[in-house]
Amino acid sequence: MVAPDPFAHVQPFQVWENAFTPEELDAIEAYGDRLDLNRGTVLSDGPEITYDALRITRTAIMAPMPEIAWLYQRIERVVRVLNGQSYRFDLLGFAEPFQYMVYRGEEGGHFNWHVDNGRLPAARKLSATLQLTDGTQYEGCDLEFFGTHQVEKAPRVRGTLAIFPSYVLHRVTPIRSGTRKALVIWSTGPNFR
Amino acid sequence: MTAAPNPYAYLQPFAVWENAFTPAELDAIVAHGDGLKLDKAGVIYDPAQATDDSSHRVTRTAWMARAPATEWLYDRIERLARALNHQIYRFDLAGFSEAFQYTVYHASEGGHFGWHVDQIPNGAHRKLSFSLQLSAPDDYEGCDLELQCGPQVRAAPRTRGALIAFPSYAIHRVTPIRSGIRRALVIWTAGPPFR
């Protein structure tokens, strides 16, 4: 057992590898592909807008239905462990459902620089992305963090969960070919203090 | 009766308090700062790394410690920091983690400070950072304090006497100075880690 790093929160992101088996990842993907995919929205000062320069993503809400209760439970355990080891943020749960995200090469999928905390009833505090497609299946579409003096890329390995404080600036670079699928999770709680 | 505070103001890239000091007070801060010994500043990314990296930062700095001559300045900054924190951020702050840092950017040496955050490993948990503009906007070209929390970079006001506040986790930089000299006072408040 390694002592937790008291300054882990200074790192832009942390990684949990092999959070799911390949069969479990297949099941998440199959479930997501049956959902109705809409164009992703962005949080702004005014009404929500869809704006190609900011974002081209297909998204679907993956609500906590009984069939995927196991997925919510697993993600909750992983977030609890990572939060306990590194961040120790006050979290109350998932105020928003998980989001299934699809970036398609043929439509130039991307998501420009942004932070996840926005004008929401419950503050997003810890964000996580579960990589559902292996990085060999598409080109571009890197999840990048700008949380220190340089930009760092998240691993592209299927099954990797990247977790980061929701205030960290990040983007998804344009996809050049193929399709990338990911599950996005926000843990919420009282505002940072 | 004042307007209800905006509960989402903390999401803005920065908050500004204009006219935090009178011109005479700003002159006194500059005179005190210019009397200190200015060193070439280092950067902290990683304790193992060399601290002299001129590609990332060229700044002259001096620590402006709490002393009888600066007591008034510490008191004033504390009042301003408390008010901004109460109105906007509501962070748990324990006080100033370090002495104030008097910073000078010279065009003659290509002053700048690349993108960075103020949170540092193995040090105080800096939570709310401040920069006080000590030079007038037409004293220098370039040298903008810029922050980014969306697709666009946002420049802080250059007004002399403006106190700019931002969370220490926010990524920011000072663009290269093209002419003149810019002076600023940098202040960090710290407390228990964000939760």
Side-chain angles (χ1 to χ4, degrees):
Chain A
M1 187 73 191
V2 183
D5 174 4
F7 291 95
H9 65 280
V10 175
Q11 300 301 316
F13 67 100
Q14 313 256 351
V15 167
W16 186 294
E17 290 180 342
N18 302 313
F20 295 89
T21 66
E23 294 72 30
E24 289 168 336
L25 295 167
D26 290 343
I28 300 167
E29 220 179 312
Y31 187 89
D33 287 344
R34 287 198 298 274
L35 299 171
D36 191 22
L37 288 161
N38 297 301
R39 295 186 82 193
T41 53
V42 293
L43 298 165
S44 73
D45 284 353
E48 283 203 325
I49 52 166
T50 301
Y51 182 15
D52 285 357
L54 282 176
R55 182 176 197 188
I56 299 175
T57 320
R58 303 271 160 184
T59 69
I61 286 172
M62 206 180 252
M65 304 302 282
E67 308 152 76
I68 53 166
W70 68 273
L71 174 61
Y72 271 75
Q73 283 161 10
R74 180 80 59 82
I75 295 280
E76 182 180 332
R77 283 215 300 277
V78 171
V79 170
R80 272 184 198 279
V81 169
L82 288 167
N83 187 49
Q85 282 176 1
S86 300
Y87 301 102
R88 315 246 165 146
F89 293 159
D90 286 343
L91 301 176
L92 292 174
F94 306 117
E96 298 165 86
F98 298 170
Q99 272 199 31
Y100 186 69
M101 308 259 177
V102 181
Y103 292 88
R104 292 180 180 151
E106 66 272 20
E107 56 188 26
H110 77 105
F111 196 168
N112 210 327
W113 289 115
H114 66 284
V115 295
D116 286 350
N117 47 6
R119 294 168 178 247
L120 294 159
R124 291 177 182 168
K125 298 180 79 175
L126 209 46
S127 300
T129 295
L130 175 63
Q131 179 80 347
L132 295 173
T133 310
D134 194 77
T136 55
Q137 304 301 303
Y138 58 91
E139 293 179 289
C141 214
D142 274 302
L143 172 59
E144 295 187 338
F145 298 95
F146 197 5
T148 59
H149 59 291
Q150 60 196 7
V151 173
E152 294 176 52
K153 292 180 193 298
R156 294 165 65 99
V157 182
R158 190 178 193 224
T160 300
L161 185 94
I163 194 162
F164 53 98
S166 302
Y167 52 67
V168 173
L169 190 66
H170 60 285
R171 71 171 171 187
V172 177
T173 64
I175 185 164
R176 295 193 303 272
S177 71
T179 298
R180 173 176 173 256
K181 296 168 183 169
L183 189 68
V184 169
I185 298 116
W186 302 286
S187 298
T188 51
N191 285 352
F192 281 111
R193 46 180 272 207
Chain B
M1 190 66 193
T2 54
N6 169 7
Y8 297 114
Y10 73 96
L11 297 170
Q12 299 300 313
F14 51 80
V16 180
W17 190 301
E18 301 268 4
N19 302 312
F21 294 86
T22 65
E25 288 168 338
L26 295 165
D27 290 344
I29 300 168
V30 169
H32 185 83
D34 286 348
L36 300 171
K37 184 179 174 297
L38 288 155
D39 295 314
K40 196 163 176 292
V43 288
I44 307 162
Y45 315 132
D46 165 346
Q49 210 163 346
T51 55
D52 183 8
D53 180 356
S54 59
S55 69
H56 199 68
R57 182 180 193 185
V58 176
T59 319
R60 302 265 160 189
T61 66
W63 296 109
M64 198 179 268
R66 188 164 209 150
T70 57
E71 194 59 43
W72 71 276
L73 175 60
Y74 272 77
D75 282 349
R76 179 79 60 82
I77 294 280
E78 183 178 331
R79 282 215 301 276
L80 295 164
R82 275 184 195 278
L84 280 167
N85 186 48
H86 181 73
Q87 283 172 11
I88 297 176
Y89 298 101
R90 311 242 165 156
F91 294 158
D92 284 343
L93 300 176
F96 301 120
S97 51
E98 293 126 293
F100 298 170
Q101 197 177 51
Y102 184 70
T103 65
V104 183
Y105 294 87
H106 289 273
S108 56
E109 58 187 29
H112 72 277
F113 194 169
W115 288 112
H116 65 285
V117 295
D118 287 351
Q119 290 181 321
I120 49 167
N122 308 308
H125 291 286
R126 293 173 179 168
K127 297 175 82 172
L128 199 51
S129 299
F130 299 85
S131 182
L132 174 64
Q133 295 282 24
L134 296 173
S135 296
D138 51 5
D139 285 350
Y140 60 95
E141 292 178 290
C143 215
D144 276 300
L145 170 61
E146 294 187 336
L147 294 100
Q148 187 174 5
C149 61
Q152 275 140 4
V153 171
R154 301 267 304 269
R158 296 162 63 96
T159 324
R160 188 173 194 229
L163 182 73
I164 298 133
F166 53 91
S168 303
Y169 54 66
I171 192 141
H172 60 283
R173 71 172 170 184
V174 175
T175 63
I177 186 165
R178 294 193 304 273
S179 72
I181 297 173
R182 173 176 172 257
R183 296 176 171 89
L185 191 66
V186 172
I187 298 119
W188 302 283
T189 56
F194 281 113
R195 50 181 269 203

